[in-house]
Amino acid sequence: MPKLKVKTISPRNWDLKRLSSLLVKSRRRKIMVIGDVGIDRYTIGAVERISPEAPVPVVLVQEEKLKLGLAANVADNIQALGATAFLIGVIGKDRSAGDFKDILKERGVSTEHLVIDASRRTALKDRIVSDRQQLLRVDYESLHGVDKVVEKNVLKNFTALVDQVDGIIVEDYAKGVLTENLLQTVFQIAGEQGKWVAVDPNMKTQVCYYRGATVLTPNLKEAEHLAGVKIVDPVSLIFAGEEILKLSNAKYVVITRGKDGMAVFSQGSPIVNLIPTSAREVYDVSGAGDTVIAVLMLALASGGSIEEACVLGNLAAGIEVGKRGTATVSHEEMRSILNSPGI
């Protein structure tokens, strides 16, 4: 294998008019999001004493916030950017399912394509927060795989929608919804129709399950798992990216690297593009990957190159990490940062 060249795409090389044009075009796009869905609940209060029952803080609850989580947060990001999201996922038949559908309706995302499985809990992640510090997270969820009937219903919703959308995002949180058969069917049908498929992979899933995806967007830990190598320097980073390309046969692999930005690998290209981070103030990194893949897919579906899509996704992530918890980025925020003199 020839030695790869590393190229940094600095802000001064960005075509801001072109990026702004892609942003405008993206508002007309329809994107399907399929995968594990759930709720992020923030229980916020003050700690004024220690419990007499055990050496733990007592939180006097002052506020509760419910937000869309997992794949639903990706759909929320797409809607916030002015585009249309179609969400496919599995929920239970419980109180959280009702809350989940209520939040979707508030955010303008249809509940029509959800599949109900009474044997499962609707995923709920409850974060206990005091004075901006997360004290505890409590997860309510089911991790067993869906049965054949539920899988069939998910695929039925997928096939009914696939010809209406401009791109597909697969969100794998390893909660049991994305079976090997389901993933391979999604990739096969999408490939036959020439649809872009971006996958946010999971460390618990074998890389071979993702064969057929157009682009994978692992973070560093996920990339290490998929490639089977520890990433400690530029050499191991390049090896990991090339290995994931080979094993998944994806067209592109985008490794998100937190404060170090992104590394973009392309099939058959001798160049690894590095995109530096654009975050100005980091408050909370949760949900940043959801924002990246939402913006990346919208840009690709609007005719952007992988580099342009990653630049936009990186800019959006820079905005998102300045907010508390899982958050969305609006079209107006993106337009503002593209027009800012300090970009």
Side-chain angles (χ1 to χ4, degrees):
M1 182 183 298
K3 186 176 180 180
L4 296 181
K5 297 179 181 178
V6 177
K7 175 184 176 183
T8 299
I9 304 179
S10 66
R12 62 176 175 270
N13 299 131
W14 300 348
D15 185 339
L16 298 183
K17 288 185 178 179
R18 167 70 174 169
L19 294 178
S20 295
S21 173
L22 290 172
L23 189 62
V24 171
K25 289 179 181 178
S26 71
R27 303 189 75 174
R28 299 191 294 270
R29 297 296 171 254
K30 297 177 180 179
I31 305 297
M32 182 196 299
V33 183
I34 181 170
D36 304 292
V37 300
I39 298 174
D40 285 327
R41 181 167 67 195
Y42 293 85
T43 302
I44 303 166
V47 175
E48 298 178 350
R49 63 192 179 98
I50 300 299
S51 171
E53 302 165 358
V56 294
V58 175
V59 179
L60 180 61
V61 177
Q62 299 166 333
E63 182 183 11
E64 286 185 336
K65 292 183 178 179
L66 296 180
K67 296 183 178 181
L68 295 172
L70 307 178
N73 185 47
V74 178
D76 197 12
N77 271 274
I78 290 168
Q79 291 285 140
L81 288 159
T84 301
F86 295 102
L87 180 64
I88 300 177
V90 178
I91 58 175
K93 199 172 184 180
D94 49 20
R95 175 183 171 184
S96 292
D99 291 338
F100 181 66
K101 289 190 284 188
D102 287 343
I103 308 170
L104 284 176
K105 291 173 184 176
E106 289 173 7
R107 301 298 294 174
V109 181
S110 173
T111 64
E112 180 183 353
H113 312 293
L114 298 173
V115 175
I116 297 174
D117 181 355
S119 73
R120 302 180 69 85
R121 278 180 161 176
T122 302
L124 169 66
K125 299 180 183 296
D126 191 4
R127 295 167 175 86
I128 316 299
V129 180
S130 178
D131 194 26
R132 298 188 176 186
Q133 177 68 43
Q134 185 177 147
L135 304 178
L136 178 69
R137 195 179 92 179
V138 182
D139 289 0
Y140 304 83
E141 59 186 13
S142 298
L143 299 177
H144 62 274
V146 296
D147 61 28
K148 293 298 181 181
V149 173
V150 173
E151 181 185 275
K152 181 179 178 180
N153 288 333
V154 171
L155 287 172
K156 179 181 177 181
N157 288 350
F158 171 80
T159 54
L161 283 174
V162 67
D163 62 349
Q164 301 177 40
V165 301
D166 301 296
I168 301 160
I169 295 175
V170 176
E171 284 288 314
D172 186 4
Y173 288 91
K175 308 298 183 188
V177 172
L178 296 176
T179 63
E180 181 179 11
N181 178 65
L182 191 150
L183 284 170
Q184 290 306 308
T185 303
V186 166
F187 296 145
Q188 179 183 344
I189 294 173
E192 291 169 353
Q193 295 207 17
K195 306 287 184 180
W196 284 92
V197 185
V199 177
D200 187 357
N202 190 275
M203 291 177 60
K204 297 179 181 179
T205 304
Q206 297 179 49
V207 66
C208 60
Y209 281 26
Y210 302 127
R211 290 186 69 87
T214 315
V215 53
L216 299 184
T217 63
N219 59 30
L220 277 174
K221 289 294 184 184
E222 290 161 348
E224 288 179 339
H225 165 75
L226 295 174
V229 63
K230 186 75 173 174
I231 299 175
V232 295
D233 54 23
V235 173
S236 54
L237 173 67
I238 291 173
F239 177 84
E242 286 291 281
E243 189 72 1
I244 298 170
L245 276 177
K246 181 178 70 175
L247 294 174
S248 68
N249 202 34
K251 190 172 184 179
Y252 305 110
V253 170
V254 179
I255 300 178
T256 57
R257 306 165 64 214
K259 64 181 178 61
D260 295 318
M262 300 176 175
V264 185
F265 299 82
S266 305
Q267 281 287 1
S269 173
I271 297 174
V272 179
N273 286 301
L274 302 182
I275 300 174
T277 184
S278 63
R280 299 178 182 183
E281 180 180 359
V282 178
Y283 183 82
D284 190 336
V285 298
S286 59
D290 296 342
T291 298
V292 167
I293 200 168
V295 174
L296 182 144
M297 175 50 70
L298 284 170
L300 290 174
S302 299
S305 67
I306 188 64
E307 292 80 15
E308 291 168 335
C310 287
V311 166
L312 284 170
N314 204 39
L315 286 172
I319 298 170
E320 196 275 345
V321 297
K323 303 179 181 184
R324 173 182 285 183
T326 52
T328 60
V329 174
S330 69
H331 177 86
E332 290 70 28
E333 287 175 312
M334 287 293 293
R335 185 174 60 185
S336 176
I337 198 169
L338 284 173
N339 292 330
S340 65
I343 191 171

